[in-house]
Amino acid sequence: MINKVEICGVNTSKLPVLTHEEKDALFERIKNGDKSAREEFINGNLRLVLSVIQRFSGRGENMDDLFQVGCIGLMKSIDNFDPSYNVKFSTYAVPMIIGEVRRYLRDNNSIRVSRSLRDIAYKALRTNEELTAKNEKEPTIEEIAKVMGVEKELIVRALDAIQDPMSLYEPIYNDGGDAIFVIDQVSDEKSIDEHWLERISLKEAMKKLGEREKHILNLRFYKGRTQMEVAGEIGISQAQVSRLEKTALKHVKKYI
């Protein structure tokens, strides 16, 4: 069949699409404990789950697994949705499904986050979903912190800790030609041309010093010795070490 896609054994081309009136009618039956109505409502919204998990494709995750996790988010949305919110079910369900998928991805992340910090982050996400549904707008960090009774700085740190890592080879721009990847935008402070040239210049300048001056600078700035330690090692006074060091540095700066 053209455009047939199977996920978890579900033929997506045959998934039903419910009208607004059908959803309202099914919800009335669901509130009265009708399990068949709940099943019908779930099947009528599987396309919504599919559309949501598409944004998580390309991460190397099994799409069947994400679909199942998304269905859990859908069922939670059905169980917690209140028609008196005066918002469409999809408006309420999408953040819930996304949140469920993100929780799954974070729990299976190779980067470990402390349980307490993870719990704060999850509670903040739930609070965000509840306030969004209630007020029909995204809450601020301050509003979330007030509801939770937690400092906003802790919430920010917790949410940062559970962020999904980004691949250095994830494309961030493509104009139809060669894509630009994250790694192209990351600077290497240790390998830029200026530092490379500085190291060459410093090496050449050191060659122009006498053996004793080179030895003193090596001990002081490469091995981290104090002037007293250098003095004791080469058998001269600290004052002499200080004078030789200053003279050597002056010559190095001049050569560079």
Side-chain angles (χ1 to χ4, degrees), residues 24-129:
D24 287 344
L26 285 172
F27 243 109
E28 285 297 321
R29 291 167 55 192
I30 291 171
K31 286 196 299 181
N32 293 324
D34 190 331
K35 293 183 178 180
S36 64
R38 185 173 185 272
E39 190 70 25
E40 186 178 345
F41 197 92
I42 291 171
N43 290 331
N45 283 276
L46 290 180
R47 288 179 181 270
L48 181 64
V49 176
L50 290 172
S51 66
V52 170
I53 67 171
Q54 290 305 312
R55 69 181 66 189
F56 296 97
S57 62
R59 298 182 178 217
E61 295 290 336
N62 186 300
M63 294 303 286
D64 283 4
D65 291 343
L66 295 186
F67 179 70
Q68 293 183 56
V69 173
C71 287
I72 293 173
L74 173 64
M75 289 185 279
K76 287 183 178 180
S77 302
I78 294 171
D79 294 339
N80 293 288
F81 181 67
D82 186 345
S84 65
Y85 287 153
N86 291 322
V87 296
K88 293 198 302 183
F89 173 75
S90 59
T91 304
Y92 177 80
V94 166
M96 294 280 283
I97 297 169
I98 292 174
E100 199 66 33
V101 174
R102 284 178 174 167
R103 277 188 283 275
Y104 167 80
L105 293 174
R106 288 167 191 140
D107 286 342
N108 288 275
N109 198 333
S110 58
I111 298 175
R112 298 301 175 192
V113 180
S114 72
R115 184 68 189 180
S116 59
L117 206 59
R118 194 193 303 249
D119 288 344
I120 291 172
Y122 289 169
K123 187 174 181 181
L125 291 172
R126 284 197 303 271
T127 304
N128 177 69
E129 293 166 0

Side-chain angles (χ1 to χ4, degrees), residues 13 108 128 131 142 149 151 167 174 197 230 232:
S13 67
N108 288 275
N128 177 69
L131 290 176
E142 288 80 4
E151 293 181 359
S167 169
N174 192 333
L197 291 172
V230 174

Side-chain angles (χ1 to χ4, degrees), residues 144-184:
I144 295 174
K146 184 177 180 181
V147 171
M148 292 177 58
V150 177
E151 293 181 359
K152 64 178 182 180
E153 291 79 11
L154 182 57
I155 293 176
V156 171
R157 190 163 72 249
L159 292 175
D160 284 343
I162 62 171
Q163 287 299 312
D164 297 329
M166 179 180 288
S167 169
L168 288 174
Y169 294 94
E170 183 169 331
I172 58 175
Y173 176 74
N174 192 333
D175 61 355
D178 293 335
I180 297 177
F181 299 93
V182 172
I183 195 171
D184 298 324

Side-chain angles (χ1 to χ4, degrees), residues 1-15 46 50 53-54 62-65 67-68:
M1 184 179 294
I2 298 175
N3 296 327
K4 174 184 176 182
V5 179
E6 284 200 5
I7 297 182
C8 297
V10 178
N11 181 356
T12 59
S13 67
K14 294 183 178 180
L15 289 176
L46 290 180
L50 290 172
I53 67 171
Q54 290 305 312
N62 186 300
M63 294 303 286
D64 283 4
D65 291 343
F67 179 70
Q68 293 183 56

